[in-house]
Amino acid sequence: MSNTMLLYKNVTALSRDTHKSLKLDPVTGFEVAAKTHWVPTAGVELYQAAHHYPVVFVNENHNGDVTTTPLLLLGLEAGRNDFVASDYSWKKGCYIPAFIRRYPFVIAAANKDASEFTLCFDSSFPGFNKKKGKALFTKEGKNSEFLEETLQFMNGFNIEMKRTREFVDLLNKHLLLEKCAAQIVSSSNVAFNVQDFLVVSEKKLANLDGEALVELNQKGYLGWITAHLMSLSNLPKLLDMHLENKSSADVKH
């Protein structure tokens, strides 16, 4: 499954004709994200996200095409999001990633060269119905105010993800990313090994020439790099959360 389709089960293109009567009744809670321990992030989010989550980079190989993606770590164990409680509430006071806030909508390329996009939604999401909630279209078949707000948010997210890909391309261009493996230690002295992720090398960053630094700075990317590096201090905190949640789950069983 691609990063873009993470969380989604049945992606359907929104049709003004087919879905004219469709409404969205918000479902409280984040059950849909309870079993994902990472989500892609836009660079612009790092200033807020870095206060709560470790931000790392990973390489993915799709039929020989390697792409680098910045991720927010939400847990240290596959299938467990340590920021979602047993009642599916998000950890209080923590930034909720845009990737999750956009659900159940997603923008998908409408043609091969990705020059056009269409708004899609996860039709398996239980909040969609024809009786109650926020209408997607007016009785005349025009976009509702809610749908216009959704489109604005989705377009903004799409633009920022495109800008993030440019950011990652520059990191790779200047060979700033390096593979990292780390042993993190909890406040109770429990050790945990984290492997196969990428981080910005502070040594390589310090050795960049003036022209490269000016380019990164003018595009606002130096701030993103700083936020990423600061976020790594959240790894021990994430381990504390992981151990606490696992202990609570064991007690309940």
Side-chain angles (χ1 to χ4, degrees), residues 184-224:
I184 55 178
V185 181
S186 71
S187 58
S188 57
N189 289 320
V190 175
F192 187 94
N193 293 319
V194 184
Q195 299 178 329
D196 297 329
F197 62 95
L198 303 170
V199 298
V200 171
S201 166
E202 293 186 67
K203 181 178 180 180
K204 291 179 180 179
L205 181 63
N207 289 331
L208 275 186
D209 60 32
E211 185 176 340
L213 281 172
V214 167
E215 182 180 19
L216 287 168
N217 184 53
Q218 287 181 340
K219 292 181 179 294
Y221 297 156
L222 279 183
W224 293 5

Side-chain angles (χ1 to χ4, degrees), residues 6-153:
L6 180 72
L7 308 183
Y8 297 81
K9 294 179 180 178
N10 190 13
V11 175
T12 304
L14 185 64
S15 166
R16 192 179 304 277
D17 296 322
T18 306
H19 304 116
K20 183 178 180 180
S21 302
L22 200 62
K23 300 178 185 293
L24 177 60
D25 188 28
V27 175
T28 58
F30 295 90
E31 183 176 1
V32 68
K35 293 184 178 180
T36 181
H37 66 298
W38 55 265
V39 289
T41 183
V44 72
E45 295 183 87
L46 298 190
Y47 296 116
Q48 292 172 284
H51 290 288
H52 309 117
Y53 313 100
V55 181
V56 299
F57 297 81
V58 296
N59 280 335
E60 290 193 306
N61 192 320
H62 299 285
N63 299 319
D65 182 22
V66 178
T67 58
T68 306
T69 305
L71 306 176
L72 303 181
L73 288 184
L74 309 178
L76 295 173
E77 179 183 328
R80 180 191 290 271
N81 182 342
D82 286 311
F83 286 85
V84 174
S86 58
D87 64 354
Y88 300 122
S89 62
W90 202 269
K91 186 174 177 61
K92 188 176 181 179
C94 290
Y95 174 76
I96 301 173
F99 188 94
I100 292 172
R101 283 185 282 120
R102 70 175 184 165
Y103 184 85
F105 295 100
V106 63
I107 285 181
N111 50 20
K112 290 184 179 180
D113 62 0
S115 60
E116 295 181 9
F117 297 88
T118 185
L119 183 66
C120 301
F121 66 101
D122 188 349
S123 58
S124 67
F125 184 63
F128 286 114
N129 68 95
K130 294 184 177 181
K131 294 182 179 180
K132 62 177 182 176
K134 298 179 179 180
L136 302 186
F137 298 101
T138 65
K139 292 180 179 179
E140 295 75 25
K142 296 182 179 180
N143 292 353
S144 67
E145 183 177 347
F146 168 67
L147 185 57
E148 284 295 331
E149 291 173 354
T150 298
L151 282 167
Q152 185 176 0
F153 175 81

